[in-house]
Amino acid sequence: MSTPATEYSLAELMICANASAYDNDGEVLVTGIGVLPRIAASLAMLSSNTDILMTDSEAWLLSEPNPVGKRPADFKQKNETWMGFSRIFDNVWSGRRHLTGGPTQIDRFAQANISALGDYSKPKVQMLGVRGFPGNSICHANSYLVPMHSTRVFVDGECDVVCTIGYNPDRLPKGYSFDEIDVRQVYTNLGVFDFRGPNRQMQIVSLHPGVTVEEVQENTGFPVHVPDTIPTTTAPTEEQLEIIRRIDPHNLRAKQLKDNPPGVRG
């Protein structure tokens, strides 16, 4: 029987929430981009969905996920088989992949931006470019993790650069329907959200301890749907925390967030 933890950090709460995104995925390739999503994917693979496949982010499929951060000199990762780019693309195009990324902007259509901020012809900030986000968003499930929920991330209007397919009818590719676009969930320091509200509106799935609806709306650049009942985000279990500590022995998770909500330790 799982034992609920009495003390945990906000980062650990977000990791466990993100890990739950993969519970019913079955055998899929999971990619967590960033420290918290990477730990969350590993946690899911070692607990709630042991059918998950993960790579070492280079060319090997792993039978067990690697820990994050510096590893001992004698560490040997548990390679299962080769997983080069051609096989990655096979997974992407087949839909048998679930990615959690960290966009710089998300708009009311669930479109995301990792490319640039400001006018596209002369951006204020140049970032990664669109990378694989267009193909990812149209081929398989995607979730997002945002360390600091604010109107700078959840923007009014459209993203400065639209890098993903979302639920904007004016941008939906010919021959596609909204049912084929799978923006699964969004995890932030305030709560868990999805785009299954009325007319694909972003809605609250759960709020972290001490967080209010008013706080969410103040930090979101567009209206958020508020269901009649809003649960509190499920607390980590002691078993989950033990796995997290094993995957993140240097506590890199603690450096990813600035603030904790009331009632959750630092």
Side-chain angles (χ1 to χ4, degrees), residues 34 43 55 80 84 88 91 140 142-143 173 197 207 227 236 238 248 254:
L43 170 62
T55 72
E80 188 167 315
I88 294 288
N91 276 96
H140 58 68
N142 294 271
S143 295
L207 294 179
E238 292 293 349
D248 180 23

Side-chain angles (χ1 to χ4, degrees), residues 70-87:
K70 188 175 181 180
R71 298 161 195 156
D74 60 351
F75 176 80
K76 292 184 179 180
Q77 66 181 26
K78 296 187 178 181
N79 296 338
E80 188 167 315
T81 186
W82 175 79
M83 189 71 176
F85 270 120
S86 63
R87 297 185 70 184

Side-chain angles (χ1 to χ4, degrees), residues 24-189:
N24 300 311
D25 280 351
E27 188 175 286
V28 297
L29 180 68
V30 170
T31 305
I33 301 177
V35 172
L36 299 185
R38 167 70 173 72
I39 298 171
S42 301
L43 170 62
M45 181 178 176
L46 293 172
S47 58
S48 58
N49 182 359
T50 56
D51 289 332
I52 283 174
L53 307 177
M54 286 184 63
T55 72
D56 63 348
S57 299
E58 293 183 7
W60 294 99
L61 197 67
L62 302 177
S63 56
E64 290 185 12
N66 287 336
V68 297
K70 188 175 181 180
R71 298 161 195 156
D74 60 351
F75 176 80
K76 292 184 179 180
Q77 66 181 26
K78 296 187 178 181
N79 296 338
E80 188 167 315
T81 186
W82 175 79
M83 189 71 176
F85 270 120
S86 63
R87 297 185 70 184
I88 294 288
F89 289 138
D90 285 343
N91 276 96
V92 170
W93 296 328
S94 71
R96 298 189 64 79
R97 188 191 191 208
H98 188 159
L99 178 148
T100 296
T104 304
Q105 292 180 326
I106 302 172
D107 62 29
R108 65 187 179 93
F109 300 110
Q111 297 170 151
N113 176 19
I114 61 168
S115 182
L117 298 178
D119 187 336
Y120 184 72
S121 63
K122 193 177 181 180
K124 296 178 182 178
V125 179
Q126 180 66 54
M127 298 180 294
L128 297 174
V130 299
R131 304 295 294 259
F133 265 37
N136 295 338
S137 65
I138 208 166
C139 289
H140 58 68
N142 294 271
S143 295
Y144 299 128
L145 189 143
V146 175
M148 185 58 64
H149 193 131
S150 74
T151 54
R152 295 181 64 183
V153 179
F154 295 91
V155 296
D156 182 22
E158 279 196 300
C159 294
D160 291 348
V161 180
V162 175
C163 300
T164 67
I165 299 297
Y167 303 112
N168 183 350
D170 293 333
R171 292 188 181 272
L172 191 67
K174 185 177 180 179
Y176 278 82
S177 70
F178 283 165
D179 292 338
E180 296 172 274
I181 309 302
D182 191 358
V183 181
R184 192 69 58 85
Q185 286 190 327
V186 182
Y187 308 91
T188 83
N189 61 313

Side-chain angles (χ1 to χ4, degrees), residues 43 237-247:
L43 170 62
T237 65
E238 292 293 349
E239 291 82 354
Q240 287 176 315
L241 293 182
E242 188 279 325
I243 295 172
I244 290 172
R245 296 181 192 116
R246 182 154 37 103
I247 290 296

